[in-house]
Amino acid sequence: HLFLAPPWPDIYENDADRRHSLDRALINHDRDAAAYSEAGYNAVILPRDTVAARADFVLATLGLQRPTDE
């Protein structure tokens, strides 16, 4: 499985690690998604949601469940 997290305009901000603009991030994302598709991958786009909800989405897509605290 290949999971992609596209840039999320509502929360996108520049910092020491993310120095390029949102526009550049969107261009890079589109380029990467196209390259993966051309290579035969069927990318799964992560939903715009909380970290926990994204983790649950990944686990559900993989047919797994989050470990319970016992």
Side-chain angles (χ1 to χ4, degrees), residues 7-67:
W8 188 348
D10 293 347
I11 63 170
Y12 192 91
E13 61 183 52
N14 295 98
D15 58 26
D17 296 316
R18 188 182 298 146
R19 292 174 278 173
H20 55 280
S21 68
L22 174 60
D23 288 338
R24 174 55 55 191
L26 291 166
I27 290 168
N28 289 345
H29 167 75
D30 291 346
R31 181 203 62 217
D32 293 346
Y36 284 126
S37 179
E38 290 172 15
Y41 289 92
N42 184 16
V44 177
I45 304 299
L46 292 175
R48 292 178 176 168
D49 211 331
T50 64
V51 172
R54 285 180 173 211
D56 288 341
F57 175 83
V58 169
L59 291 173
T61 301
L62 297 174
L64 303 171
Q65 293 181 352
R66 184 188 302 213

